[in-house]
Amino acid sequence: MTDATTRGWDAIVIGSGMGGMAAAAALSKLGRRALLLEKHWTLGGQTHSFSRHGFTWDVGLHYLSCAAPQDRERKLLDWIADRPMEFASLGAVYDILHLGDAPPLPLSRPYEAQERDLKDRFPDQAEAIEGWTRALRAGRETLMKATSTRAMPRLAGELLGWWNRRAIADWGLRTTREVIDGLTDDPALAAVMAAQWGDHGGRPGAASFAMHAGIAGSYLVSGSWRPVGGAGAFADHIIPTITKTGDARAGVEVAALLIEDGAAVGVRTAAGEEIRAGAVISDIGARETVDRLLPVLTTEVEAWAADIRALPSSIAHFTLFLGFEGDIEAAGATPANHWLFPTGETDVIWTDAPDGPPPQMTVSFGSLKDKAHDPGPRMRHTGQLLCWADWESVAAWAGAAPGARGEGYAAFKAQVEEAMMALFARRFPELAKMVVYRELATPLSTAAFTGHREGAFYGLSTTPARLMSDALRMKTPVPGLFLAGQDVLTPGVPGALWGGLLCAAAVDPKVFRHFGG
């Protein structure tokens, strides 16, 4: 590869998650030279895949919305991809809830179908369920209105926010719990309404309802999807677009921004190399950008950084990656995700790991979602068990390097694995017998890979304060510095995609011309 210091880069993009890839690729489509830098040895951020002993798992993707052929996000993906991506629908039923001892509750799309699912289970709550459907629609529309201002000139954004102030107050400033409590006093129905909060990581008592509605409701519009070939297909299709005019480099950690006369003019790598560009785009997270990359700050920039630091981080998680051998569908596995809540409560996380049992678990069978997967004669499949957790459970080992955390950490991980497998075996006893490989990722794994504070899987928490924060604009108070990714829009792949594309448009407004598709 050519020497980056002599290329005359138009933009340096830090972080190769969906937001970083989208920003770099969009600029490349306009003929700009973008240099994408990733500290990890694999490009793709939380959309990358990894393999062990012949099994392959996606790190952060269980399913995604907004990938139907008619969706604008799908058309924009086709625009930034070197060749069109292929997606497979997961079918009408995409989630199955297991609350306490109640029979499993399949959730299907579209809105009308899910409304019927709920009315069949709660026939005396028809009015509340219809109100929930209306709230989801209104909340999703409000989210789009509120976040669309992030890439606008400040005055235009303020005017649009004023125009939509009533909807924002109704749906954006109230929490998911407050909206649910205004609709029903049935605790079982309330638990069902709140159950899918794990899709954005904001607990019902703290998350903006507009954030919840925008993400939960997106699956009701055009269904749930999975890229054929797994999440790694994003990098496989998008990186070639970037390298046509620029470069993408793994294993390069950015240590600091280069600031001259108050403006960002490039980056300094951990190896000491200085690389300059007309714009610097950070896709590593808003909090991580201000905490790790900025040198001495001016008063204005310090105020902006303080606003970002005031926003809480999202929650942490444990993920147990499983390898199976056998007919897992006959044993109860499905393409749909299974959400387990043994006590029936859904606004819960695992605060006493590993001593107590996990109060929540999401079970996903990735190989059944990928139509390109070949199980072979041994019928090899993959699955993931995810439990939302408290960072404090691993904080004692946060200062130690991987491999140097001692026997106590190894024993802790073994206990976590056993507790997660015990809950899995209670719900899926025949599947548990087919597990031939397992590997645990803790919040420390997330922190090491993403750099997110306290292993926050989704970056910043989806609170009303985050929704309304003026600090999360793509164009920052530091001239030449821009933010991309899910923090500036919404959690998940579609939100990160839009965060990257709108960031690219803030760098070069000609990108906006391609949003009409």
Side-chain angles (χ1 to χ4, degrees), residues 264-429:
V265 297
V267 302
R268 179 181 298 108
T269 71
E273 181 183 14
E274 293 190 355
I275 311 172
R276 294 174 177 267
V280 178
I281 295 171
S282 176
D283 184 48
I284 66 171
R287 176 68 179 263
E288 290 68 31
T289 300
V290 300
D291 282 350
R292 298 179 183 177
L293 299 184
L294 286 178
V296 178
L297 307 178
T298 65
T299 301
E300 178 189 7
V301 175
E302 183 57 54
W304 165 70
D307 287 344
I308 289 177
R309 292 188 180 111
L311 299 173
S313 297
S314 181
I315 55 175
H317 73 292
F318 295 99
T319 293
L320 188 57
F321 297 94
L322 303 179
F324 300 92
E325 288 188 358
D327 188 350
I328 64 171
E329 288 186 276
T334 64
N337 299 314
H338 295 261
W339 301 64
L340 313 185
F341 299 97
T343 68
E345 295 291 328
T346 53
D347 188 358
V348 289
I349 65 172
W350 198 5
T351 57
D352 58 352
D355 301 322
Q360 166 276 336
M361 178 184 287
T362 302
V363 181
S364 177
F365 302 97
S367 58
L368 294 184
K369 301 176 184 183
D370 183 5
K371 70 178 188 180
H373 175 72
D374 179 9
R378 293 162 61 183
M379 303 186 73
R380 293 164 65 87
H381 287 277
T382 59
Q384 292 170 247
L385 314 180
L386 184 150
C387 293
W388 299 114
D390 191 334
W391 170 256
E392 288 304 313
S393 63
V394 298
W397 296 284
R405 293 172 181 147
E407 295 180 359
Y409 183 63
F412 168 84
K413 289 181 64 178
Q415 288 180 275
V416 170
E417 281 192 32
E418 291 303 322
M420 294 177 71
M421 281 301 299
L423 176 55
F424 178 66
R426 284 199 298 274
R427 179 58 66 176
F428 300 104

Side-chain angles (χ1 to χ4, degrees), residues 463-474:
T463 60
R466 169 184 168 170
L467 177 69
M468 301 306 298
S469 176
D470 193 52
L472 298 177
R473 300 174 66 84
M474 287 75 181

Side-chain angles (χ1 to χ4, degrees), residues 55-320:
F55 295 104
T56 299
W57 300 267
D58 293 339
V59 171
L61 179 68
H62 297 92
Y63 55 6
L64 74 154
S65 58
C66 306
Q70 72 274 13
D71 287 334
R72 184 158 56 156
E73 292 83 354
R74 175 72 172 272
K75 295 175 181 178
L76 287 168
L77 275 171
D78 286 345
W79 175 57
I80 63 174
D82 179 63
R83 58 196 186 283
M85 293 182 63
E86 184 180 358
F87 292 85
S89 170
L90 302 189
V93 174
Y94 59 96
D95 280 331
I96 301 173
L97 305 183
H98 304 258
L99 278 70
D101 297 325
L105 175 60
L107 296 180
S108 50
R109 61 169 178 90
Y111 284 103
E112 295 79 8
Q114 189 160 123
E115 188 173 287
R116 175 49 55 195
D117 294 335
L118 299 182
K119 287 180 177 178
D120 288 345
R121 179 62 61 91
F122 303 96
D124 60 340
Q125 291 286 313
E127 183 177 348
I129 292 166
E130 290 170 3
W132 177 245
T133 301
R134 290 193 295 272
L136 286 175
R137 291 181 186 273
R140 185 166 187 263
E141 183 178 350
T142 299
L143 178 67
M144 295 177 181
K145 292 176 179 177
T147 56
S148 65
T149 64
R150 296 272 170 84
M152 294 180 179
R154 191 175 298 273
L155 178 59
E158 290 175 352
L159 289 173
L160 187 59
W162 177 86
W163 183 261
N164 295 313
R165 65 192 184 282
R166 179 171 297 179
I168 291 172
D170 286 345
W171 308 116
L173 299 183
R174 288 197 293 163
T175 67
T176 305
R177 175 60 56 203
E178 288 172 330
V179 171
I180 292 173
D181 288 347
L183 292 170
T184 183
D185 57 4
D186 184 315
L189 176 58
V192 168
M193 289 175 171
Q196 293 165 295
W197 66 267
D199 277 340
H200 54 82
R203 296 184 66 177
S208 162
F209 175 72
M211 283 281 195
H212 179 86
I215 294 169
S218 66
Y219 295 100
L220 299 174
V221 176
S222 54
S224 61
W225 300 79
R226 177 84 164 201
V228 174
F234 286 111
D236 291 343
H237 287 72
I238 298 174
I239 295 299
T241 298
I242 300 169
T243 56
K244 282 182 178 178
T245 59
D247 227 336
R249 299 184 177 186
V252 179
E253 182 176 0
V254 172
L257 298 177
L258 297 178
I259 304 292
E260 293 181 359
D261 297 325
V265 297
V267 302
R268 179 181 298 108
T269 71
E273 181 183 14
E274 293 190 355
I275 311 172
R276 294 174 177 267
V280 178
I281 295 171
S282 176
D283 184 48
I284 66 171
R287 176 68 179 263
E288 290 68 31
T289 300
V290 300
D291 282 350
R292 298 179 183 177
L293 299 184
L294 286 178
V296 178
L297 307 178
T298 65
T299 301
E300 178 189 7
V301 175
E302 183 57 54
W304 165 70
D307 287 344
I308 289 177
R309 292 188 180 111
L311 299 173
S313 297
S314 181
I315 55 175
H317 73 292
F318 295 99
T319 293
L320 188 57

